[in-house]
Amino acid sequence: MNNWAFYIIAFITVSATVAMMTRKNPVTSAVFLVASFMSLAGIYVLLGAHFVAALQILVYAGAIMVLFIFVIMLLNLKDDELVPDKINIVRVSTAMLGLGLFAFLGSRLAGIPATAVFLPPPADFGGVKEVARLMMTEYVVAFEMLGILLLVGLVGAVMLGRRE
Amino acid sequence: MFGEITIHHYLILSALLFCLGLIGIATRRNLLIMFMCLEVMMNAVNLSFVALARYFNAMDGQVVAIFVMAIAAVEAAIGLGIVIALFRNRRTVNTAELRAMWG
């Protein structure tokens, strides 16, 4: 049962990402990216990371992409400004280079010696309790610095948005 | 490949998403779409973290993935603020026209 679930969700993710990269209209790209993020949350569920999957939908698809769509609508690009990128030899060779990089990475990753199946996870794997325990004990410094980073980001965004 | 789903499947999917995001950034000229491809790359790394967390049955990878998510949120906010400020001055998001650093 797990097999076809992975292949279906992986196919949806990759095809939504490719569709996102090839659209002329950025709003269409943003909607395809939301679909890609949702299917990625499905993969997280397959990996037993339920809390991360919920956060992926809340934060990425729910906050970041909404922010993206706000900004795209705010810029209000007219149709004549949305010039489609021509498929010239530079773009094709760049894509070939990127796929070559994937071929190299994929071949190296496929050759690593790893156990054939996932070992059964401990109880409560992927739940909020364990994440919270780790964040408050081992990773507490990073957690607090994340708070400071959010504050810095907030101040920076407000400063960038000022009208002189 | 069509046996059990192993760690290789998830890592290769992560590499594929990363390379697709990289191709998107290198190819497209619209600044907003380049930004979205950057988010795809960060998600690919997140997938790697979560997959390896499952492989080693350690929750640390998921905690790091949550951190990466929060950092990506801040980066998206600041980056989009920059895009808006840039658009106010230059009236374009086409990187082919945003070439000179004057003004």
Side-chain angles (χ1 to χ4, degrees):
Chain A
M1 189 290 245
N2 228 6
N3 286 2
W4 60 261
F6 170 76
Y7 284 119
I8 288 181
I9 299 182
F11 175 72
I12 294 177
T13 308
V14 172
S15 56
T17 306
V18 171
M20 181 272 292
M21 281 169 22
T22 52
R23 300 301 110 188
K24 184 179 82 167
N25 194 346
V27 179
T28 317
S29 281
V31 173
F32 273 122
L33 193 57
V34 171
S36 173
F37 286 165
M38 294 281 193
S39 48
L40 209 54
I43 294 210
Y44 290 161
V45 169
L46 280 178
L47 284 168
H50 310 291
F51 185 51
V52 179
L55 277 183
Q56 167 91 3
I57 296 185
L58 278 174
V59 171
Y60 260 119
I64 296 182
M65 290 319 298
V66 169
L67 179 64
F68 258 104
I69 294 182
F70 275 172
V71 169
I72 295 174
M73 299 288 190
L74 185 68
L75 295 183
N76 201 14
L77 300 164
K78 298 292 181 294
D79 269 337
D80 54 342
E81 297 165 11
L82 293 176
V83 179
D85 294 323
K86 291 188 293 291
I87 302 180
N88 52 10
I89 189 64
V90 175
R91 293 222 162 88
V92 169
S93 52
T94 307
M96 288 298 133
L97 273 177
L99 290 176
L101 174 67
F102 167 63
F104 170 69
L105 282 176
S107 63
R108 296 306 293 244
L109 284 171
I112 59 177
T115 67
V117 291
F118 288 113
L119 301 171
D124 225 14
F125 187 75
V128 186
K129 191 170 178 182
E130 187 61 24
V131 169
R133 188 189 69 81
L134 277 172
M135 264 199 200
M136 291 299 167
T137 54
E138 264 188 74
Y139 299 99
V140 63
V141 176
F143 180 67
E144 300 298 334
M145 288 172 61
L146 192 61
I148 296 178
L149 177 69
L150 283 167
L151 175 67
V152 168
L154 181 64
V155 171
V158 168
M159 293 227 25
L160 280 172
R162 278 188 318 176
R163 288 195 180 272
E164 299 300 328
Chain B
M1 184 179 100
F2 294 103
E4 282 286 326
I5 301 292
T6 64
I7 185 66
H8 307 98
H9 292 83
Y10 292 104
L11 289 179
I12 290 179
L13 176 64
S14 166
L16 178 60
L17 285 175
F18 188 82
C19 291
L20 283 177
L22 193 60
I23 292 175
I25 288 187
T27 305
R28 298 299 306 256
R29 269 182 320 192
N30 193 335
L31 205 55
L32 293 162
I33 298 188
M34 287 168 75
F35 219 117
M36 285 189 245
C37 294
L38 189 64
E39 294 294 327
V40 168
M41 289 168 80
M42 300 193 73
N43 267 305
V45 172
N46 251 356
L47 173 62
S48 230
F49 271 122
V50 174
L52 287 167
R54 173 71 176 93
Y55 180 69
F56 291 113
N57 277 333
M59 291 281 295
D60 302 64
Q62 298 184 15
V63 173
V64 175
I66 295 176
F67 282 143
V68 170
M69 235 180 256
I71 294 175
V74 179
E75 171 214 347
I78 299 283
L80 289 171
I82 291 179
V83 166
I84 290 185
L86 196 60
F87 187 77
R88 268 196 213 134
N89 279 334
R90 310 290 187 91
R91 306 305 303 180
T92 181
V93 287
N94 194 345
T95 55
E97 301 168 18
L98 295 167
R99 283 196 205 176
M101 293 177 75
W102 47 258

